[in-house]
Amino acid sequence: MAELNENFIKLPGSYLFSTVAKKVSAYQEAHPQADLIRLGIGDVTKPIVPVVIEALHKAVDEMGHAETFRGYAPDLGYPFLREAIAAEYTRRGCEVSSDEIFVSDGAKSDSANIQEIFAPDSRIAVCDPVYPVYVDSNVMAGRTGDYDAADGTWSRVIYMPCTAENGFVPELPKETPDLIYLCFPNNPTGTTITKEQLQQWVDYANRVGAVILYDAAYEAYITEEGLPHSIYECEGARSCAIELKSFSKKAGFTGLRLGYTVVPKEIVRGGASANALWARRHGTKYNGTPYIIQRAGEAVLTPEGDREVMEQVRYYLRNARTIRDGLTAAGYTVYGGVNSPYVWLKTPDHMSSWDFFDLLLSEKNIVGTPGSGFGPHGEGYFRLTGFGTYENTERAISRMQKL
């Protein structure tokens, strides 16, 4: 008799944002007249910019003619997009070649799948709180040990607390990990890391032989000088760091789906190349991102495309600043919202994260994300996103100020 994968069975409950969606759906069904404002899931609201729409139309027209029709895309990505991405790295002073870039349907997929090329018994270290996909995908792979429902931790996961006391920047772990997940600007806390701090992580990883999985999906939102946009700005990163990036939040591609992962050739473990293994895995399990989507991505990387998408980034940052300033004025303790579209706030009156979620939903018809869903150290916190419309953001903060 076929048996189900016991590692999947270990997963507690459902995925965080699925749980939020179910609770919101149930509330809306019971209160059909409720005027809900959604500042929970990190989905964009602005339409695709004109230069990208033009590229999409042109690519679609090409698919209608025999001489320009495209079938299966190259599994690692079309050269025109990989070369454009490599040129972006060059402009930032980073050494990345096009054959180290692997185009995909998004950073979420890659951050879940990248662990497959590493040993099943690898120890992972994660920030806490953290984007749930990092831990959940390793649970599915069977490397996280047993789950403690009392404190929400896994026995083989090395947790690196990110708290107000340490500025939400993790300290080097006391146990030695094999894989280190870092995300900056951070999801969910909205905080950042300096180049000097990141260099310490690169030096540590090289010293102990670990690999850093660096999620830079929100780098376009960095506004302050001196903050790294890529881990490859750090010396020695090519021998220990894999970087994951996305077009979703910078260019509004949440509905188009496009991202990429950089795997430098210098990452070699046990005589095997991580670049070669990821290429083998990618080629086996992925049929390539559609041609029309990759042409859209190419348009983002043009000067005109960059100008247009960065206007949208500034729009979302204004929303985040509106949330941050409005809640701060109302007496909330607030973090993030400067180099990130996310604002991380302490729940009032020592409320639990889910109690505050229920209160906001029922009393003010605002949807956010409970901090505890991102890990044990997220308890007592709450995430709001700047990806709504400016009008709804102002309305939501006005409601919260009256809570």
Side-chain angles (χ1 to χ4, degrees), residues 5-80:
N5 189 325
E6 64 178 9
N7 296 319
F8 281 68
I9 297 171
K10 288 182 179 180
L11 286 165
S14 61
Y15 182 57
L16 169 61
F17 296 106
S18 298
T19 302
V20 169
K22 289 175 184 176
K23 289 175 75 75
V24 172
S25 179
Y27 180 84
Q28 197 159 34
E29 185 175 344
H31 305 85
Q33 303 306 316
D35 178 22
L36 292 184
I37 300 177
R38 300 173 185 267
L39 301 180
I41 191 169
D43 197 2
V44 296
T45 52
K46 299 285 284 183
I48 300 295
V49 299
V51 69
V52 175
I53 292 296
E54 182 181 350
L56 283 167
H57 280 296
K58 182 180 178 182
V60 168
D61 289 341
E62 289 180 32
M63 298 297 279
H65 301 279
E67 60 271 23
T68 52
F69 172 77
R70 303 296 201 288
Y72 286 123
D75 49 16
L76 307 185
Y78 280 101
F80 63 76

Side-chain angles (χ1 to χ4, degrees), residues 97-137:
S97 62
S98 62
D99 59 356
E100 296 173 320
I101 296 165
F102 299 81
V103 178
S104 71
D105 63 352
K108 179 179 181 179
S109 299
D110 286 353
S111 65
N113 295 330
I114 192 68
Q115 50 79 26
E116 292 185 16
I117 68 172
F118 294 97
D121 61 350
S122 298
R123 292 289 304 278
I124 71 166
V126 297
C127 297
D128 179 21
V130 71
Y131 183 43
V133 171
Y134 308 153
V135 174
D136 285 2
S137 59

Side-chain angles (χ1 to χ4, degrees), residues 337-378:
V338 176
N339 300 291
S340 166
Y342 296 124
V343 174
W344 187 245
L345 62 127
K346 198 166 182 58
T347 58
D349 302 322
H350 304 288
M351 294 183 69
S352 76
S353 297
W354 279 106
D355 284 347
F356 189 61
F357 173 90
D358 291 334
L359 177 68
L360 272 188
L361 180 61
S362 61
E363 296 295 325
K364 297 300 178 183
N365 292 169
I366 297 170
V367 180
T369 309
S372 59
F374 297 99
H377 281 86

Side-chain angles (χ1 to χ4, degrees), residues 17-298:
F17 296 106
S18 298
T19 302
V20 169
K22 289 175 184 176
K23 289 175 75 75
V24 172
S25 179
Y27 180 84
Q28 197 159 34
E29 185 175 344
H31 305 85
Q33 303 306 316
D35 178 22
L36 292 184
I37 300 177
R38 300 173 185 267
L39 301 180
I41 191 169
D43 197 2
V44 296
T45 52
K46 299 285 284 183
I48 300 295
V49 299
V51 69
V52 175
I53 292 296
E54 182 181 350
L56 283 167
H57 280 296
K58 182 180 178 182
V60 168
D61 289 341
E62 289 180 32
M63 298 297 279
H65 301 279
E67 60 271 23
T68 52
F69 172 77
R70 303 296 201 288
Y72 286 123
D75 49 16
L76 307 185
Y78 280 101
F80 63 76
L81 180 57
R82 299 169 82 191
E83 289 166 7
I85 293 169
E88 282 288 295
Y89 275 105
T90 298
R91 280 191 283 273
R92 289 204 176 276
C94 301
E95 181 190 347
V96 172
S97 62
S98 62
D99 59 356
E100 296 173 320
I101 296 165
F102 299 81
V103 178
S104 71
D105 63 352
K108 179 179 181 179
S109 299
D110 286 353
S111 65
N113 295 330
I114 192 68
Q115 50 79 26
E116 292 185 16
I117 68 172
F118 294 97
D121 61 350
S122 298
R123 292 289 304 278
I124 71 166
V126 297
C127 297
D128 179 21
V130 71
Y131 183 43
V133 171
Y134 308 153
V135 174
D136 285 2
S137 59
N138 279 281
V139 174
M140 294 173 179
R143 63 167 62 93
T144 56
D146 299 318
Y147 183 68
D148 186 337
D151 63 9
T153 62
W154 295 89
S155 61
R156 293 195 74 248
V157 173
I158 299 170
Y159 291 91
M160 304 180 295
C162 295
T163 65
E165 289 70 29
N166 61 21
F168 298 99
V169 175
E171 299 172 2
L172 298 177
K174 294 180 174 61
E175 298 179 79
T176 301
D178 300 299
L179 303 175
I180 303 168
Y181 286 83
L182 296 178
C183 173
F184 291 102
N186 185 258
N187 177 17
T189 66
T191 53
T192 51
I193 192 170
T194 67
K195 184 177 179 180
E196 291 73 19
Q197 289 171 320
L198 187 56
Q199 185 67 59
Q200 291 177 4
W201 281 98
V202 170
D203 293 343
Y204 170 78
N206 278 322
R207 188 166 63 249
V208 302
V211 171
I212 297 172
L213 305 175
Y214 193 73
D215 186 345
Y218 299 94
E219 66 84 15
Y221 289 81
I222 294 174
T223 62
E224 296 179 312
E225 296 293 328
L227 300 178
H229 288 254
S230 168
I231 196 168
Y232 302 119
E233 295 176 33
C234 295
E235 184 179 353
R238 287 184 55 83
S239 60
C240 70
I242 292 173
E243 184 163 275
L244 306 97
K245 299 188 81 170
S246 170
F247 286 78
S248 289
K249 308 304 167 65
K250 175 182 178 179
F253 277 31
T254 54
L256 294 182
R257 308 306 307 143
L258 182 64
Y260 58 91
T261 291
V262 177
V263 187
K265 296 172 186 173
E266 284 91 327
I267 300 179
V268 176
R269 298 293 186 273
S273 162
N275 180 284
L277 292 185
W278 184 239
R280 183 68 171 85
R281 187 263 172 210
H282 214 56
T284 300
K285 292 192 173 186
Y286 190 59
N287 263 341
T289 305
Y291 171 73
I292 60 174
I293 304 301
Q294 294 196 51
R295 281 298 186 191
E298 180 190 32

